[in-house]
Amino acid sequence: MRTYLDFEKPMAELERKLEEMKALASENNVDFSGAISLLENNITDLRKEIFENLTRWQRVQLSRHPDRPYTLDYIERICDEFIELHGDRQVRDDPAIIGGLANIGGQSVMLIGQQKGRNTKQRQHRNFGMPNPEGYRKALRLMKLAEKFNIPIVTLIDTPGAFPGMEAEERGQGEAIARNLKEMFMLKVPVICIVIGEGASGGALGIAIGDRVLMLENTWYSVISPENCSTILWRSWDFKEQAADAMKITAKDMVSNKLVDGIVSEPLGGAHLDHDWMAEELKRVILENVKELSKISVDKRIDQRIDKFSAMGVVVE
């Protein structure tokens, strides 16, 4: 059963009627092609009307859609081969971050991504996509391995934030993220970072220092979620829509503020409607950027990476 968000509800009834009409035509061997075509066009027109006028909060909702593709969904569809590598060699393996050697269209990459879960058991196992320090240390270990063998790095970002538990802080959550930031600036191989869902705070930034930082069309990237921002400013979650507007957290906002390098298009209605199409588009973008970045010398690529992030947040009075 497909899950509909509140603003998608107008389409739900039309799509239900479409399925009923198709089933009736099939069961009774009756030609309803004209009516079916008309209804499909009506659904497409309505979807365009809704999705061309999304608010920032609605895009936040889309980024969290329960049917949205996660890192493992992309790995399954875009990788010809994938060998998962485990552990940080200090504490344990963190299932909230997946990483390993991948072959994408003949191109070897080190693919690292944050992973949520589809059901309660998976969400608990993946800690709702919130990495512990060992997750970030595992990611850095794999990045250093990729650098050693001159393999480009691709990271897929989708997290509500780094795990804030006491045990995570005791094991050095802040230090682990900070070290990743420092080390990723100096990596000698091309680094491509793509926000595929939620990009929240340092939890996202810990694997998001790259030569190319991209966002899928219906994702968000910010130091704090709209709900938590609303809680701090208004002492209530009720103002999350206003908070989302004030923070300007969508892909278009990020590009206009020169905080990310580009937007990856999603199918009309969102990535959750067509996983295969979205995976093919992501594969194309990855290969295109790896090819482009590989032509740049190591020193120039590092200098450009540092200059790009150093220019962020500058205020001119």
Side-chain angles (χ1 to χ4, degrees), residues 136 172-185 202 206:
Y136 293 104
Q173 185 73 286
E175 185 276 339
I177 293 173
R179 181 171 296 276
N180 277 24
L181 304 187
K182 175 179 178 292
E183 296 290 345
M184 288 186 76
F185 273 116

Side-chain angles (χ1 to χ4, degrees), residues 47-251:
R47 186 174 287 133
K48 283 181 180 178
E49 182 183 342
I50 291 172
F51 282 86
E52 286 176 357
N53 299 285
L54 290 176
T55 66
R56 290 183 175 91
W57 173 245
Q58 287 170 338
R59 291 194 187 276
V60 171
Q61 289 178 289
L62 276 175
S63 75
R64 299 168 175 169
H65 198 290
D67 299 330
R68 193 173 179 85
Y70 297 146
T71 293
L72 279 176
D73 298 308
Y74 289 118
I75 288 173
E76 180 184 337
R77 287 168 172 79
I78 70 176
C79 297
D80 302 309
E81 294 179 86
F82 181 73
I83 302 172
E84 186 175 357
L85 302 173
H86 298 270
D88 69 337
R89 300 296 183 266
Q90 294 183 50
V91 180
R92 63 180 178 93
D93 185 49
D94 185 357
I97 289 187
I98 293 170
L101 291 164
N103 183 303
I104 302 176
Q107 172 67 56
S108 295
V109 300
M110 182 65 77
L111 186 56
I112 300 166
Q114 290 151 333
Q115 175 68 23
K116 297 177 179 177
R118 291 284 174 206
N119 53 45
T120 302
K121 187 175 181 180
Q122 289 179 7
R123 291 181 187 118
Q124 289 176 332
H125 175 62
R126 302 289 180 185
N127 200 28
F128 299 87
M130 297 186 292
N132 278 279
E134 48 270 25
Y136 293 104
R137 292 181 179 125
K138 173 173 73 171
L140 181 58
R141 180 177 76 83
L142 300 187
M143 291 177 198
K144 288 294 187 180
L145 184 64
E147 183 181 46
K148 181 178 180 180
F149 292 101
N150 196 31
I151 297 172
I153 297 165
V154 177
T155 69
L156 302 180
I157 298 143
D158 186 13
T159 179
F163 183 57
M166 185 172 68
E167 61 272 29
E169 299 298 339
E170 289 174 342
R171 293 197 299 274
Q173 185 73 286
E175 185 276 339
I177 293 173
R179 181 171 296 276
N180 277 24
L181 304 187
K182 175 179 178 292
E183 296 290 345
M184 288 186 76
F185 273 116
M186 305 307 297
L187 288 170
K188 296 178 181 179
V189 294
V191 184
I192 300 162
C193 309
I194 306 173
V195 181
I196 61 171
E198 298 186 89
S201 192
L205 199 59
I207 59 168
I209 303 296
D211 304 295
R212 293 287 184 276
V213 181
L214 309 171
M215 293 177 68
L216 267 60
E217 190 177 349
N218 296 309
T219 61
W220 66 277
Y221 195 15
S222 177
V223 69
I224 194 171
S225 71
E227 295 96 325
N228 288 332
C229 177
S230 174
T231 300
I232 291 171
L233 294 181
W234 290 285
R235 308 298 183 196
S236 168
W237 278 28
D238 297 339
F239 300 93
K240 52 188 177 291
E241 292 91 346
Q242 292 94 314
D245 286 335
M247 291 194 297
K248 296 181 171 57
I249 58 179
T250 65

